[in-house]
Structure formats: structure tokens, C-alpha cells
Amino acid sequence: MLPKINPLKTKSHAKLKAHAKEMKKIHLRDLFEQSGRFGKFSLTWNDFLFDYSKNIIDQKTLSLLLDFTKEMKLGKAIDSMFSGELINETEKRAVLHTALRKLSPESETDKDFYIGGENVSHLVREVQEKIKTFCGRFHSGSMTGYTGKKFTDIVNIGIGGSDLGPVMVTEALRQDWKEGIHVHFVSNIDPSHIHTILKKINFETTLFLIASKTFTTQETMANANTAKKAFLDSGAQEKDTALHFAALSTNIPKVTEFGITPENTFTFWDWVGGRFSLWSAIGLSIALTIGYDKFLELLRGAREADLHFRHTAPEKNIPVLMAVIGFWYTAFWGSQTEAILPYDQYLHRFPAYLQQGIMESNGKSVDRMGKKVQYPTSPVIWGEPGTNGQHAFYQAIHQGTHFIPSDFIASVHSRNNKHNQHQILLSNCFAQTEALMKGKTKKEVMEELSSKGMSKKEMENLAPYKVFPGNRPSNTFLIKEINPRNLGSLIAFYEHKIFTQGVLWNIFSFDQFGVELGKVLANVILPEIEDKNTKVEHDSSTSGLIRQYHEWK
Ligand code: G6Q
């Protein structure tokens, strides 16, 4: 079980509060006056450099934050998660997405994962073997569609956790796509989404993956039924469904009811949360797109990050550092938001992926004792790839009234370098973190304006607008290259940051009752939209919207 501790009652929290007052008197520029700052506040691990020196922290901040993790019993919480305890207490489930990435067989020194005495690593390996065989047949062409043609297209139908991970990963690894294979994702219930995809594909060479843990999600089932109907309308027979549809699900009876064969059904388990499921059967679209071996590389990278998280001292532990720094800003600096800024076009869905991972996990306001929390929890997560963001919202990060800690993510090698474009990209990334940290003082602005020959009065009038306060914190991940292994590690780092922050906020990170509410509410209103004679009893706004719909329909 996870410890239940009110963070506000810890000694280190009180000390951090007092320390924050002191740190607010210091500017990041001044902190950089001390020599060796980069060496002290950055670390390298595998192909990663994690630079957290541009944060408003000093050695004392860090040691108080790490004391705080001890008081919150982070070490015990990590052991509880990895040892398969039912730490998702509200749903009485273990949380073992980490088990999906342990590929090596059990040995004395490298134990498998267990839940209540059951070896779940065996179950994982069975499904992985099945995925491997399936991918082999798919890529060799020995698996064909109902007219005997080799498959060329994959359409993954799923939403939320059954969509965002595979979309993000396949986009990030576009350079690794198997030749001749195209992957498409349908998630939204809006018929325009599936319509756009169905228009692009040839049914004879398309494999549909119905990705749904529960196999009851309204959007996914509606899209799956539309796809099946369109497939049959294209000239296929009911029996051909067996060749063109596969299911990724924990609900085998529902899968069978839909007409999908056991051979094409890939299962996973209730101890894999939706937003942590890309490593499971939900990752089949990834394995089919980049090949099984590269899918394994992704898992290996994540496993390396798991071992780092589990066994590295907190002061050298990347996810722990990410988590405590984020905690510092939400608790003591009033930060309500965090920007994720990948300087890599292929990572363009990474912010959206983390939006779910972070906000669905830690957007909670009741603590582990069932009490309303008296402190802020998950920040709002958002972002876009650089440099697009620079020409859009960076204005607010530099000079706005909100305090926005940001994560910059960049790679040294582009797998697509054209002329010197990658160097230009990187120079922008580094320049932004420098500018956010330093800002531009009035003195610097005046010197700049004076060199343009402006009058003293004009300079005085313009200067306030041109001053940059600086002192805006950022982390930078500089990665040698975005490849399957490094991407696996990067994602797992953020997963463990999420877990750690949940422990520090004393909340349950692995349920999502807020998401489930939406699923129930829409089912109440649907009949009222479908039939205008159904009695409508809502608040005046909701009833008004429904009435207007019928009037205009
Ligand atoms: C993730 C959430 C949620 C879920 C979707 C899809 O952690 O629980 O995003 O993944 O609602 O659910 P199904 O996979 O059951 O269709």
C-alpha cells in the first residue's frame, strides 16, 4: 500500500516554504554567477543529458526537496509499485506497466513480476510471443487479406489511452516505419474522423485493430461498427472479418461477440492502466508499423529507465529530480502550468500524450486519506514543437504574467538533416532556454536602443516593453538521437515523474473517475438527441441546447 501522509504536516515542507521566500530574492542570473553550476545541476545517463541547472534552485533547495521525498516515503512507495501491491487502491488493482518491459527470463538476480503470488511476467511473454508471430506473418506477406493481397495499411481504432500512446510513438518514429506500411488512427466519435481515413484506404489490404481495454467505450465501438459496415459494403463477406479485424482488449467475451477470432485477439490485464498501455497489446499498431524488433527496443529503453528509477540514489535519479522540481514550482511559486516543448517535429504529439498521462493521473483534489487537498496538484500541461511555438505563444512565457516552467527536448543527431537546418533548430532551442533564464535588463535595453540613435525620451518610453524579466525556469533533455530505445526511456522517465509527484501530493494517480463521468453522461443525453419526443429534464442551458438542436435539425 502507498503511505498516507499529509505533505503539509512534514518538517521539510515547512522548511521548503521558508526557503522559497529566500530564493525569491535571487535571480537565476545570479545563481549562474557561481562557478560549476552546470556540473552540479546536470547529469548524463545513457544517450541523455538532463540539464536542470536553469531552475530556480540551489544545493539547499535540492537537499530539502530530497528530504521531503524521504518524509513522504517515496522509497517505500516505489517498492510497493514494483512488487505488485494493489497501489491503485480505489480500483483495488496493482500498477505494473513496468512488467511489460522486462524481457529477460527470471533469474536469481533478476526476478519476474508477481501479483499476489502469480507470475505475471509469464503472461506478458506469452502475449509478446503472439505479437511477434503476428508481426512476422504480417510483414512477410504470409498473412493476407480476403482477396489474397498483402496488407499495406493498419487502422487503429481506439481513444484516450488506447490511442494517444501509439499515435505519439509511431509519429515520433516515422524514420523507422517499415517500407510499404502505412498506419492510421481513428479516435474521435465525430464521423468526420473515420470518414477521412476510410476514404484513404483500400479495404482489401487494410487491417483494422480495435483497441479498447474494456471493449465497451462508446466512441471506439461506434467507430469499429462503422468500419466493419464499410468493410462489408466494399464487397467483403461477414467471414472475411476474421482476416481483417484484430482486437487489443481485456474483455474477451465482448471481442468474440464482435466477430473477432481468438487468433486475432491480443489481451492485456487490469493492472495496465489505459494511459500506460502502449507497452502492452495496445502497442500492436506500433509493432506492425516499425517492426517487432524495434518495438522490443522501445521496451528495452523503458526497462533501462525503470531500473534507473528503482535503483538510483534520489540525487542522481532523473524522474525523481523532474518530479521534485515540478513540485517546488506548484507548491511554492504558484505555477499552474507546465510547457512541453520538443525541438523535434516527429515528437509533435508528445505534449498531447503527456497531457493525458500527467493530468489524468494527477489532476485530483482528494488525498489518499479521502480528504480534500489543501494545495495545488497537477499543473495544466500543454505545448507544441519548437520553433512553431516560438512564433506563437513563447511571448507569454517570456513576458506574460504567468510563471511557466518548461521542458525543452532536443536531439543531437537528426535522422533527417537537410543542409544545416538541424543546427538552426538546436540553436533556437538553446537560445530560448538562455533567454528565459537571463532575460534582458533595462540597462541592456537602453544600450541597444541608444546604439540605434534614439532620443533619451523615446528610449525611456519604449524600454519597459522591451525588458525581459528572465528568471523563467526550464529543464533541457538533450538526447543523442530519437530512436526507439531512447524514446522508450524518455516516456518511462515521465511515467515515473507522474508516479513520484502522486506520492508527493499524497493522491491516487492510477484511477480516472473524472473521465468515466463523461462516458455515463453522454449516454443519458443520446436518446434525447435521437428522438425529439423524449422528455428532457436538465438545467435550462442543457435543455436549451437540446431544444435548439431539434429546431434546427
Ligand atoms: C486512460 C483512461 C482512458 C481510456 C479510454 C479508452 O488511462 O482510462 O483514456 O484509455 O477511455 O478506454 P478503453 O481502452 O477501455 O476503450
Side-chain angles (χ1 to χ4, degrees):
M1 289 300 148
L2 292 179
K4 295 182 166 62
I5 303 162
N6 182 346
L8 300 182
K9 301 238 164 98
T10 61
K11 287 196 186 103
S12 36
H13 196 282
K15 287 187 192 162
L16 278 162
K17 196 171 171 189
H19 174 65
K21 279 198 187 132
E22 292 307 307
M23 290 303 284
K24 283 179 188 165
K25 297 178 192 154
I26 307 170
H27 195 282
L28 257 173
R29 268 190 192 222
D30 305 323
L31 292 173
F32 269 92
E33 289 301 311
Q34 290 147 21
S35 66
R37 182 168 176 86
F38 174 72
K40 268 189 219 139
F41 299 106
S42 68
L43 51 96
T44 49
W45 175 87
N46 286 359
D47 284 354
F48 286 69
L49 164 70
F50 177 52
D51 174 14
Y52 57 102
S53 60
K54 291 190 184 101
N55 281 293
I56 314 169
I57 56 168
D58 64 8
Q59 210 66 60
K60 183 172 174 194
T61 323
L62 215 49
S63 83
L64 287 175
L65 283 167
L66 296 178
D67 287 349
F68 176 59
T69 64
K70 280 191 206 115
E71 274 193 87
M72 294 304 290
K73 302 207 184 322
L74 176 63
K76 175 170 183 318
I78 295 174
D79 285 345
S80 300
M81 173 169 74
F82 279 93
S83 53
E85 289 177 30
L86 306 189
I87 62 164
N88 176 357
E89 268 184 52
T90 52
E91 296 181 315
K92 297 194 173 55
R93 290 174 183 169
V95 175
L96 273 189
H97 44 279
T98 48
L100 302 164
R101 348 214 248 214
K102 182 183 180 291
L103 303 171
S104 54
E106 180 163 62
S107 70
E108 262 311 299
T109 51
D110 188 14
K111 290 277 171 221
D112 275 352
F113 284 86
Y114 289 82
I115 298 176
E118 185 190 15
N119 182 328
V120 295
S121 295
H122 285 328
L123 306 176
V124 170
R125 281 185 206 116
E126 261 172 45
V127 176
Q128 283 172 346
E129 273 308 306
K130 191 167 172 180
I131 293 177
K132 182 180 175 184
T133 312
F134 193 81
C135 286
R137 288 177 48 229
F138 184 87
H139 292 126
S140 70
S142 70
M143 179 195 296
T144 60
Y146 73 100
T147 55
K149 291 187 185 150
K150 190 173 183 254
F151 286 108
T152 56
D153 287 74
I154 304 148
V155 176
N156 187 84
I157 300 178
I159 194 165
S162 300
D163 168 74
L164 284 161
V167 176
M168 182 275 285
V169 170
T170 49
E171 282 299 298
L173 299 177
R174 267 186 175 271
Q175 290 294 306
D176 295 282
W177 285 25
K178 287 259 180 198
E179 210 170 315
I181 303 290
H182 306 280
V183 67
H184 317 268
F185 292 89
V186 175
S187 52
N188 203 323
I189 187 68
D190 183 339
S192 305
H193 200 179
I194 190 152
H195 180 70
T196 315
I197 304 298
L198 294 183
K199 256 189 5 194
K200 280 192 203 164
I201 50 139
N202 173 357
F203 286 95
E204 290 176 47
T205 55
T206 298
L207 177 71
F208 291 92
L209 305 179
I210 315 303
S212 176
K213 183 169 164 178
T214 54
F215 229 73
T216 55
T217 303
Q218 188 191 45
E219 293 89 336
T220 302
M221 296 331 294
N223 278 322
N225 286 319
T226 299
K228 187 169 167 183
K229 180 155 187 322
F231 173 69
L232 297 175
D233 289 348
S234 76
Q237 306 290 310
E238 180 69 40
K239 67 174 175 32
D240 302 328
T241 311
L243 295 175
H244 285 259
F245 284 77
L248 326 172
S249 185
T250 57
N251 190 343
I252 306 306
K254 285 272 175 205
V255 170
T256 316
E257 209 176 284
F258 186 85
I260 293 176
T261 62
E263 300 82 68
N264 279 12
T265 302
F266 299 83
T267 195
F268 58 112
W269 311 272
D270 69 2
W271 41 266
V272 180
R275 55 194 172 277
F276 301 96
S277 64
L278 71 90
W279 323 97
S280 71
I282 289 293
L284 184 61
S285 55
I286 303 173
L288 290 172
T289 306
I290 63 172
Y292 186 70
D293 289 346
K294 289 193 173 175
F295 180 63
L296 287 189
E297 276 299 291
L298 183 83
L299 302 188
R300 273 190 201 105
R303 169 74 173 163
E304 284 172 311
D306 293 343
L307 295 174
H308 167 85
F309 178 57
R310 192 159 189 197
H311 300 298
T312 308
E315 61 276 15
K316 297 255 176 266
N317 194 313
I318 295 174
V320 173
L321 292 169
M322 292 163 76
V324 295
I325 291 168
F327 178 87
W328 168 240
Y329 295 131
T330 46
F332 306 110
W333 294 75
S335 100
Q336 296 182 340
T337 146
E338 262 172 39
I340 307 290
L341 308 169
Y343 277 67
D344 184 308
Q345 184 56 33
Y346 291 147
L347 282 177
H348 68 112
R349 294 300 287 161
F350 197 57
Y353 170 76
L354 287 183
Q355 224 164 35
Q356 176 185 37
I358 297 175
M359 293 169 73
E360 200 170 293
S361 300
N362 288 336
K364 311 277 167 70
S365 52
V366 175
D367 71 12
R368 292 202 292 266
M369 282 90 96
K371 297 269 180 330
K372 190 141 179 38
V373 296
Q374 303 300 318
Y375 42 84
T377 58
S378 174
V380 174
I381 302 296
W382 56 284
E384 278 288 321
T387 61
N388 293 1
Q390 289 176 210
H391 293 264
F393 53 78
Y394 276 41
Q395 164 65 37
I397 309 185
H398 283 288
Q399 288 187 307
T401 51
H402 289 283
F403 179 78
I404 307 174
S406 312
D407 282 1
F408 287 73
I409 303 164
S411 66
V412 170
H413 298 287
S414 164
R415 296 164 87 194
N416 227 349
N417 201 7
K418 289 274 177 296
H419 313 295
N420 66 340
Q421 284 194 218
H422 188 66
Q423 282 92 331
I424 301 176
L425 176 74
L426 274 188
S427 61
N428 272 283
C429 172
F430 299 164
Q432 286 295 330
T433 67
E434 185 178 29
L436 286 168
M437 180 273 278
K438 279 191 175 163
K440 199 189 256 185
T441 61
K442 182 162 178 203
K443 187 165 170 279
E444 287 164 342
V445 172
M446 294 297 265
E447 278 164 13
E448 194 183 285
L449 295 180
S450 144
S451 71
K452 288 184 182 152
M454 260 186 204
S455 73
K456 183 98 176 56
K457 186 154 186 292
E458 273 178 314
M459 280 166 38
E460 280 295 343
N461 285 344
L462 196 54
Y465 302 102
K466 295 216 146 203
V467 166
F468 285 66
N471 212 31
R472 314 249 152 156
S474 66
N475 292 309
T476 302
F477 273 112
L478 184 63
I479 306 169
K480 274 192 192 155
E481 178 184 83
I482 304 294
N483 55 30
R485 176 177 165 230
N486 290 340
L487 181 67
S489 301
L490 182 69
I491 302 168
F493 280 156
Y494 276 97
E495 286 181 346
H496 297 316
K497 172 190 176 179
I498 293 169
F499 171 79
T500 303
Q501 290 194 325
V503 172
L504 302 184
W505 284 321
N506 192 40
I507 52 177
F508 289 120
S509 302
F510 298 101
D511 56 21
Q512 55 284 312
F513 297 112
V515 175
E516 277 143 39
L517 174 71
K519 299 189 185 186
V520 176
L521 291 183
N523 283 327
V524 174
I525 293 189
L526 181 60
E528 300 164 359
I529 297 227
E530 283 175 334
D531 178 1
K532 74 168 169 199
N533 298 320
T534 312
K535 198 156 174 254
V536 172
E537 275 177 53
H538 296 280
D539 59 88
S540 61
S541 160
T542 312
S543 304
L545 290 166
I546 297 171
R547 259 198 322 275
Q548 192 65 59
Y549 166 80
H550 286 302
E551 229 175 282
W552 281 346
K553 184 80 182 127

Coordinates of all heavy atoms in Angstrom, one line a residue, residues 157-160 186-190 194 210-212 216-226 515 518-519 522-523:
I157 N -8.3 1.7 -34.2 CA -9.5 2.4 -33.7 C -9.5 2.3 -32.2 O -9.6 1.2 -31.6 CB -10.8 1.8 -34.3 CG1 -10.7 1.9 -35.8 CG2 -12.0 2.4 -33.7 CD1 -11.9 1.3 -36.5
G158 N -9.3 3.4 -31.5 CA -9.3 3.4 -30.0 C -9.3 4.9 -29.6 O -9.2 5.8 -30.5
I159 N -9.4 5.1 -28.3 CA -9.4 6.5 -27.9 C -8.7 6.6 -26.5 O -8.5 5.6 -25.8 CB -10.9 7.0 -27.8 CG1 -10.9 8.6 -27.7 CG2 -11.7 6.4 -26.6 CD1 -12.3 9.2 -27.9
G160 N -8.3 7.8 -26.2 CA -7.6 8.0 -24.9 C -6.3 7.2 -24.8 O -5.5 7.2 -25.7
V186 N -7.9 6.3 -35.7 CA -9.3 6.9 -35.6 C -9.6 6.9 -34.1 O -9.6 5.8 -33.5 CB -10.3 6.1 -36.4 CG1 -11.7 6.6 -36.1 CG2 -10.0 6.0 -37.8
S187 N -9.9 8.0 -33.6 CA -10.3 8.1 -32.2 C -11.6 8.8 -31.9 O -12.5 8.3 -31.2 CB -9.2 8.8 -31.4 OG -8.9 10.0 -31.9
N188 N -11.8 9.9 -32.6 CA -12.9 10.8 -32.2 C -14.2 10.2 -32.7 O -14.3 9.5 -33.8 CB -12.7 12.1 -33.0 CG -13.5 13.3 -32.4 OD1 -14.6 13.1 -31.9 ND2 -12.9 14.4 -32.4
I189 N -15.3 10.4 -31.9 CA -16.6 9.9 -32.3 C -17.1 10.7 -33.5 O -18.0 10.2 -34.3 CB -17.6 10.0 -31.1 CG1 -19.0 9.3 -31.5 CG2 -17.9 11.4 -30.7 CD1 -18.9 7.8 -31.6
D190 N -16.6 11.9 -33.7 CA -17.0 12.7 -34.9 C -16.8 11.9 -36.1 O -15.7 11.5 -36.5 CB -16.1 14.0 -34.9 CG -16.5 14.9 -36.0 OD1 -17.2 14.5 -37.0 OD2 -16.1 16.1 -35.9
I194 N -13.4 9.1 -38.9 CA -13.3 7.8 -39.6 C -13.5 8.0 -41.1 O -12.9 7.3 -41.9 CB -14.2 6.8 -38.9 CG1 -13.9 5.4 -39.5 CG2 -15.7 7.1 -39.1 CD1 -14.2 4.3 -38.6
I210 N -9.0 -3.0 -33.3 CA -9.9 -2.4 -32.4 C -9.3 -2.4 -31.0 O -9.1 -3.5 -30.4 CB -11.3 -3.1 -32.4 CG1 -11.8 -3.5 -33.8 CG2 -12.3 -2.3 -31.6 CD1 -11.9 -2.3 -34.7
A211 N -8.8 -1.2 -30.6 CA -8.0 -1.1 -29.4 C -8.9 -0.6 -28.2 O -9.2 0.6 -28.2 CB -6.8 -0.2 -29.6
S212 N -9.3 -1.4 -27.4 CA -10.1 -1.0 -26.2 C -10.0 -1.9 -25.1 O -10.4 -3.1 -25.2 CB -11.6 -0.9 -26.7 OG -12.4 -0.5 -25.5
T216 N -16.0 -1.6 -24.5 CA -17.4 -1.0 -24.3 C -17.4 0.5 -24.6 O -18.4 1.1 -24.5 CB -17.9 -1.3 -22.9 OG1 -17.0 -0.7 -22.0 CG2 -18.1 -2.7 -22.6
T217 N -16.2 1.1 -24.8 CA -16.2 2.5 -25.0 C -17.0 3.0 -26.2 O -16.8 2.5 -27.3 CB -14.7 3.0 -25.1 OG1 -14.0 2.5 -23.9 CG2 -14.5 4.5 -25.2
Q218 N -17.9 3.9 -25.9 CA -18.9 4.4 -26.9 C -18.2 4.8 -28.2 O -18.6 4.3 -29.3 CB -19.6 5.5 -26.3 CG -20.8 6.0 -27.1 CD -21.4 7.3 -26.6 OE1 -20.6 8.2 -26.4 NE2 -22.7 7.4 -26.5
E219 N -17.2 5.6 -28.2 CA -16.6 6.1 -29.4 C -15.9 5.0 -30.2 O -16.1 4.9 -31.4 CB -15.5 7.2 -29.0 CG -16.0 8.4 -28.4 CD -16.0 8.4 -26.9 OE1 -16.2 7.3 -26.4 OE2 -16.0 9.4 -26.3
T220 N -15.2 4.2 -29.5 CA -14.5 3.1 -30.2 C -15.4 2.1 -30.8 O -15.2 1.6 -31.9 CB -13.5 2.4 -29.2 OG1 -12.6 3.4 -28.7 CG2 -12.7 1.3 -29.8
M221 N -16.5 1.7 -30.0 CA -17.4 0.7 -30.6 C -18.2 1.3 -31.8 O -18.4 0.6 -32.7 CB -18.3 0.2 -29.5 CG -17.6 -0.6 -28.3 SD -16.1 -1.4 -28.8 CE -16.6 -2.7 -29.9
A222 N -18.5 2.6 -31.7 CA -19.3 3.2 -32.8 C -18.3 3.2 -34.0 O -18.8 2.8 -35.1 CB -19.7 4.6 -32.4
N223 N -17.1 3.6 -33.9 CA -16.2 3.6 -35.0 C -15.9 2.2 -35.5 O -15.7 2.0 -36.7 CB -14.8 4.3 -34.6 CG -15.0 5.8 -34.6 OD1 -15.6 6.4 -35.5 ND2 -14.4 6.5 -33.7
A224 N -15.8 1.2 -34.6 CA -15.5 -0.1 -35.0 C -16.7 -0.7 -35.9 O -16.5 -1.3 -36.9 CB -15.3 -1.0 -33.8
N225 N -17.9 -0.4 -35.4 CA -19.1 -0.8 -36.2 C -19.1 -0.1 -37.5 O -19.5 -0.8 -38.6 CB -20.3 -0.6 -35.4 CG -20.4 -1.6 -34.2 OD1 -20.1 -2.8 -34.4 ND2 -20.8 -1.2 -33.1
T226 N -18.8 1.2 -37.6 CA -18.8 1.9 -38.9 C -17.7 1.3 -39.8 O -18.0 1.0 -41.0 CB -18.5 3.4 -38.6 OG1 -19.5 3.9 -37.8 CG2 -18.4 4.2 -39.9
V515 N -12.9 10.9 -15.9 CA -13.0 10.5 -17.3 C -14.3 9.7 -17.5 O -15.1 9.8 -18.4 CB -11.8 9.7 -17.8 CG1 -12.0 9.2 -19.2 CG2 -10.6 10.5 -17.7
G518 N -17.9 11.3 -18.0 CA -18.2 11.7 -19.4 C -18.9 10.6 -20.1 O -19.9 10.8 -20.8
K519 N -18.4 9.4 -19.9 CA -18.9 8.2 -20.6 C -20.4 8.0 -20.2 O -21.2 7.6 -21.0 CB -18.1 6.9 -20.3 CG -16.6 7.0 -20.7 CD -15.9 5.7 -20.5 CE -14.4 5.8 -20.9 NZ -13.6 4.6 -20.9
A522 N -23.0 11.2 -21.5 CA -23.4 11.2 -22.9 C -24.5 10.2 -23.2 O -25.4 10.4 -24.0 CB -22.2 10.9 -23.8
N523 N -24.4 9.0 -22.5 CA -25.5 8.0 -22.7 C -26.8 8.4 -22.2 O -27.8 7.9 -22.7 CB -25.0 6.7 -22.0 CG -24.0 6.0 -22.8 OD1 -24.0 6.1 -24.1 ND2 -23.0 5.4 -22.2

